Amino acid sequence: MVTIATLGSHCALQVLKGAKDEGFKTLLLCEKKRERLYRRFKFIDKLILVDTFLELVEKKCETVLQENNSILIPHGTMIAQMNSEQIESIKTPIFGNKYILRWESDRMLKEQLMKEAKLDVPKSIASPKEIDRLVIAKRHGAAGGKGYFIASNEQDYNKKRDLLIKKGIINGDNDLYIQEYHSGVLAYLQYFYSPVKNELEFFGIDKRHESDIEGLSRIPAENQLNSNKVPSFNVIANSPLVLRESLLDNVYAMGENFIEASANLVPPGMNGPFCIEGVYDENAQFKAFEFSARIVAGTNIFMNGSPYTTLIYDEPMSMGRRIAREIKHATVENKIKNIVT
Ligand code: AMP
């Protein structure tokens, strides 16, 4: 029998609850400091206690995972704490395509894949000297928006960059990617692609609450001008959104183009959960500034299903449960090799 395993953070509760609902055994790689939290949840059958998640690539951990016939579900914490080489070296089967996670972490590869998917991507700015409009400077990898900042010219950029260096958050320009800033309604589009059914499912939409950029709108302009605090985009929470129905057709088209582009550039393609992240402008055009090639934490809102999963399933369907169901279908149809790497 397969055990569904993941790292104790991000969306682990949703993933393991979904696995249990589908009848799987569950296993959590848990940092010792979080043991008390995760022991509260009875749907977690087994904990492997570690000091850091990097122990995942050590033989001791891999042996327990393999003895339990585990499939590992990757999420944002894995990408934030392990580099691409480490992730690709994991011997336990990983749900989805572990090679595409490199394309998520590397801003240049990311841009290439998004362009191949015909997404409308904000312009990237090669050097601080070329800043001629409002831009956002972003860190590489899944930094969760921490240490990002907005700048309107080179001088402004340099001042804020130097502050981050002083705080030890970055080493220099190489740690930042500069992109044209777009304002509008932010939307994070959550999808699941099943290679077993060859079908794309649109799962839900969330909005992120980011600190402290969100706090800025509560302060009168004169106080904003007097403050020399640099607001960041640190994700604190998520809340649900629904879109105007007329926008849905394009949501599916973007998802399908992304699947096609991933199959071309990063075989075996974008299998399982993914998210396209961006902003709708005043003409309801979507500018896509990001993708996540695995489950996003915004799906935690929909542990009991979303308005969109209600249209597909006659039962509560979370993304975690959908992953488990895919593993179940693939097992029955002898297609496990198609859904893991
Ligand atoms: P990311 O790591 O690219 O998901 O960015 C983190 C946050 O920064 C997003 O949730 C947005 O609030 C903001 N952001 C990133 N890129 C842009 C952009 N090009 N225009 C406007 N906001 C952005």
Side-chain angles (χ1 to χ4, degrees):
M1 184 187 187
V2 169
T3 297
I4 294 189
T6 196
L7 310 189
S9 186
H10 194 266
C11 56
L13 293 172
Q14 184 207 154
V15 165
L16 298 189
K17 174 68 167 62
K20 187 48 78 183
D21 288 345
E22 289 295 302
F24 287 94
K25 281 198 295 171
T26 59
L27 185 153
L28 186 78
L29 196 73
C30 179
E31 288 171 311
K32 288 175 186 155
K33 63 180 182 194
R34 300 252 176 99
E35 183 183 354
R36 248 171 76 80
L37 168 69
Y38 286 107
R39 291 249 185 243
R40 291 174 193 272
F41 300 96
K42 303 293 173 253
F43 52 83
I44 305 177
D45 296 321
K46 189 176 175 60
L47 261 70
I48 306 181
L49 294 175
V50 293
D51 289 310
T52 92
F53 289 132
L54 291 179
E55 289 176 40
L56 179 55
V57 290
E58 289 176 11
K59 197 157 182 341
K60 207 172 75 191
C61 244
E62 292 257 29
T63 306
V64 183
L65 286 167
Q66 280 161 23
E67 279 170 359
N68 282 277
N69 200 17
S70 307
I71 293 181
L72 191 62
I73 315 300
H75 55 55
T77 303
M78 185 188 267
I79 296 176
Q81 300 201 9
M82 299 174 83
N83 64 36
S84 302
E85 284 76 30
Q86 287 164 332
I87 294 174
E88 287 168 13
S89 76
I90 296 171
K91 292 190 187 64
T92 306
I94 293 188
F95 186 78
N97 179 356
K98 66 180 172 186
Y99 303 104
I100 203 170
L101 300 176
R102 178 183 287 274
W103 291 64
E104 174 181 337
S105 298
D106 181 311
R107 293 270 176 204
M108 299 307 152
L109 290 177
K110 174 172 273 177
E111 203 180 305
Q112 188 188 338
L113 180 48
M114 291 177 81
K115 286 188 173 156
E116 175 81 13
K118 301 188 214 66
L119 288 166
D120 187 3
V121 184
K123 190 175 176 305
S124 63
I125 315 276
S127 135
K129 289 194 172 25
E130 292 168 27
I131 299 176
D132 58 354
R133 62 192 76 191
L134 198 63
V135 297
I136 177 164
K138 314 201 267 190
R139 289 164 64 206
H140 296 277
K146 199 168 177 200
Y148 291 20
F149 61 87
I150 293 175
S152 42
N153 53 47
E154 187 189 356
Q155 208 185 5
D156 185 21
Y157 167 93
N158 287 343
K159 197 174 87 193
K160 291 168 179 167
R161 174 205 57 201
D162 291 346
L163 252 161
L164 286 182
I165 296 175
K166 216 165 124 188
K167 285 189 185 164
I169 296 175
I170 59 163
N171 291 317
D173 286 330
N174 283 344
D175 292 336
L176 293 173
Y177 169 87
I178 310 170
Q179 189 177 59
E180 184 178 29
Y181 185 86
H182 276 274
S183 50
V185 173
L186 293 157
Y188 302 78
L189 311 170
Q190 308 162 2
Y191 302 88
F192 186 93
Y193 174 66
S194 163
V196 175
K197 284 168 57 189
N198 187 19
E199 221 166 74
L200 173 69
E201 294 165 21
F202 178 51
F203 245 73
I205 316 159
D206 73 286
K207 164 179 158 40
R208 290 187 190 158
H209 299 279
E210 299 168 322
S211 194
D212 186 20
I213 190 71
E214 207 170 285
L216 203 62
S217 62
R218 293 166 59 93
I219 299 172
E222 60 179 295
N223 303 90
Q224 290 181 19
L225 290 171
N226 289 333
S227 155
N228 48 22
K229 187 168 183 288
V230 182
S232 181
F233 290 74
N234 197 7
V235 184
I236 301 295
N238 305 74
S239 56
L241 277 186
V242 285
L243 280 184
R244 276 171 66 172
E245 195 157 311
S246 56
L247 298 175
L248 282 182
D249 200 27
N250 188 47
V251 167
Y252 280 97
M254 288 192 286
E256 277 162 359
N257 286 341
F258 190 75
I259 290 161
E260 197 183 318
S262 311
N264 291 339
L265 292 183
V266 210
M270 184 62 265
N271 297 335
F274 66 100
C275 182
I276 299 178
E277 303 156 15
V279 53
Y280 282 96
D281 70 12
E282 68 273 31
N283 301 313
Q285 295 299 313
F286 191 73
K287 282 271 180 193
F289 51 68
E290 264 286 3
F291 70 80
S292 300
R294 36 79 197 171
I295 184 169
V296 288
T299 57
N300 286 339
I301 310 163
F302 305 122
M303 295 213 204
N304 227 3
S306 79
Y308 298 100
T309 60
T310 303
L311 301 173
I312 315 174
Y313 295 95
D314 292 325
E315 61 193 320
M317 184 59 66
S318 71
M319 191 63 95
R321 186 167 187 179
R322 181 65 189 86
I323 291 171
R325 179 130 335 156
E326 184 79 350
I327 295 173
K328 210 157 143 181
H329 285 158
T331 311
V332 172
E333 294 185 28
N334 210 6
K335 287 183 174 165
I336 282 286
K337 284 207 160 56
N338 297 13
I339 61 161
V340 297
T341 43

